[in-house]
Amino acid sequence: MVEKTVGMPGILQRDDPMNPVLFLADMLGVDRDTFDPVWPMPTNMGGPWLIALTTERAVELRERLAGGHVMNTWSAIVPAPPKARGTFKFRGISVEYGCARMQDGLADMQLTPEFKDSDDIDPVHFLLDLLAAQGLPVIGDRERGGVMAAGACRLRLTALFDQDGDLGHSWSAPNTWWPKGISLARETPADVERVVSTPTAKDFTPLQVSRKTLEILDLGHPWAFEDRDTGKRDGFKPGTLVQLRTPEGKAGPFALVEGQTSWPRGYFRATPTTCTSLSR
């Protein structure tokens, strides 16, 4: 994994000896003849980037990604959607989403595509196309009509996990991730009375988790860790809003419980969210 910087072209062109991707191989001290990104990256995007060190490994990783064996979660800042969570269908692929933050008409959306026997091995452009097709172009994605903002196109990888391999990690977004000075909030007509109540902890059922789980979530991990301190979840329907609490009673973030699916062993799907997003 490398951290691609914004402004660096993210397409490998082997016939160009001055290609920045090949210079990246030189900087890492590896063979530029077999250095192979698993997916292309737009120039105006940054973040974690999966690179194979041999051509054979690159083919294998692309096949595992397209076959649904490598879980991948992405964060995108988009115009606020009508619903804070749900599922998109695009080109025959399901993509679960949940909004971790909604403010000023924008949403920080966590996306988990469920590639399975797919021919699409370019998750970045797939997600950019998907969100634009939903009328939610990513902030900074000028090509698809996204609102421009200082810094990068706001789509980046946040977690990767190979269920049968040793590939697994999560990454936090930088402090500059939320765009400043941008508001897409719509004005409410003066003659329309609109009351929005802000939920509090007493409005939600608590779910016990360990102190370690809260530490993981504070680092930006999109999944909650399951251990001996995790409370029973059998009675929660998918989509239930809960507040995470430690055995000692320390309050953690609100979360969406998404049931028991094929998540990595030791994790369950609980997407942290905020009161702001719940009140929309």
Side-chain angles (χ1 to χ4, degrees), residues 9-30:
I11 298 178
L12 175 62
Q13 296 176 324
R14 292 198 185 279
D15 56 349
D16 178 9
M18 304 299 289
N19 182 250
V21 179
L22 297 179
F23 277 123
L24 179 60
D26 296 338
M27 291 174 59
L28 295 173
V30 297

Side-chain angles (χ1 to χ4, degrees), residues 170-194:
S170 64
W171 300 267
S172 299
N175 294 333
T176 56
W177 181 240
W178 188 265
K180 295 182 179 180
I182 295 179
S183 176
L184 301 182
R186 297 178 180 177
E187 296 291 336
T188 301
D191 58 342
V192 177
E193 183 178 357
R194 182 169 179 262

Side-chain angles (χ1 to χ4, degrees), residues 65 68 70-76 85-90 93-99 109-116 123 126-127 130-131 155-161 163 221-223 258 261-264 269-271:
L65 179 65
V70 179
M71 290 180 54
N72 51 112
T73 298
W74 303 73
S75 177
R85 67 177 301 276
T87 302
F88 295 129
K89 291 279 190 179
F90 188 64
I93 297 171
S94 296
V95 180
E96 293 187 8
Y97 75 88
C99 296
M109 182 179 287
Q110 308 297 309
L111 300 133
T112 303
E114 297 181 0
F115 298 114
K116 186 176 182 181
F126 170 80
L127 290 173
L130 158 69
L131 292 168
L155 174 68
R156 61 180 281 126
L157 181 67
T158 58
L160 203 63
F161 183 83
Q163 301 177 64
H221 200 289
W223 308 319
E258 298 189 8
T261 55
S262 57
W263 302 109
R269 187 70 160 141
T271 304

Side-chain angles (χ1 to χ4, degrees), residues 6-266:
V6 178
M8 171 187 170
I11 298 178
L12 175 62
Q13 296 176 324
R14 292 198 185 279
D15 56 349
D16 178 9
M18 304 299 289
N19 182 250
V21 179
L22 297 179
F23 277 123
L24 179 60
D26 296 338
M27 291 174 59
L28 295 173
V30 297
D31 189 348
R32 59 162 50 193
D33 292 333
T34 58
F35 192 75
D36 196 348
V38 177
W39 57 75
M41 289 269 277
T43 301
N44 66 337
M45 258 186 64
W49 196 15
L50 182 60
I51 307 287
L53 299 182
T54 67
T55 303
E56 293 76 17
R57 182 60 170 159
V59 171
E60 178 187 356
L61 287 170
R62 292 188 186 107
E63 291 177 347
R64 293 191 62 74
L65 179 65
H69 303 289
V70 179
M71 290 180 54
N72 51 112
T73 298
W74 303 73
S75 177
I77 297 184
V78 299
K83 297 181 180 179
R85 67 177 301 276
T87 302
F88 295 129
K89 291 279 190 179
F90 188 64
R91 297 176 185 168
I93 297 171
S94 296
V95 180
E96 293 187 8
Y97 75 88
C99 296
R101 176 182 179 183
M102 295 177 74
Q103 180 180 328
D104 298 327
L106 300 175
D108 189 350
M109 182 179 287
Q110 308 297 309
L111 300 133
T112 303
E114 297 181 0
F115 298 114
K116 186 176 182 181
D117 300 326
S118 172
D119 294 330
D120 198 317
I121 54 175
D122 182 351
V124 172
H125 289 87
F126 170 80
L127 290 173
L128 291 173
D129 289 345
L130 158 69
L131 292 168
Q134 300 297 323
L136 305 171
V138 174
I139 299 301
D141 183 16
R142 179 182 301 179
E143 179 182 347
R144 298 168 182 80
V147 175
M148 298 309 296
C153 175
R154 297 312 201 275
L155 174 68
R156 61 180 281 126
L157 181 67
T158 58
L160 203 63
F161 183 83
D162 188 339
Q163 301 177 64
D164 299 314
D166 57 0
L167 180 65
H169 200 67
S170 64
W171 300 267
S172 299
N175 294 333
T176 56
W177 181 240
W178 188 265
K180 295 182 179 180
I182 295 179
S183 176
L184 301 182
R186 297 178 180 177
E187 296 291 336
T188 301
D191 58 342
V192 177
E193 183 178 357
R194 182 169 179 262
V195 179
V196 178
S197 60
T198 300
T200 60
K202 63 182 178 60
D203 298 317
F204 302 101
T205 304
L207 174 62
Q208 180 175 297
V209 295
S210 66
R211 286 177 294 176
K212 185 64 176 178
T213 293
L214 293 190
E215 292 176 8
I216 291 174
L217 295 177
D218 286 341
L219 292 174
H221 200 289
W223 308 319
F225 188 75
E226 183 175 31
D227 53 28
R228 63 184 181 183
D229 289 329
T230 304
K232 297 290 185 181
R233 306 190 312 282
D234 298 342
F236 293 118
K237 295 180 179 179
T240 300
L241 292 167
V242 298
Q243 182 175 35
L244 305 182
R245 289 182 176 272
T246 66
E248 297 79 19
K250 178 182 177 181
F254 296 95
L256 295 170
V257 178
E258 298 189 8
Q260 313 244 7
T261 55
S262 57
W263 302 109
R265 182 176 300 174

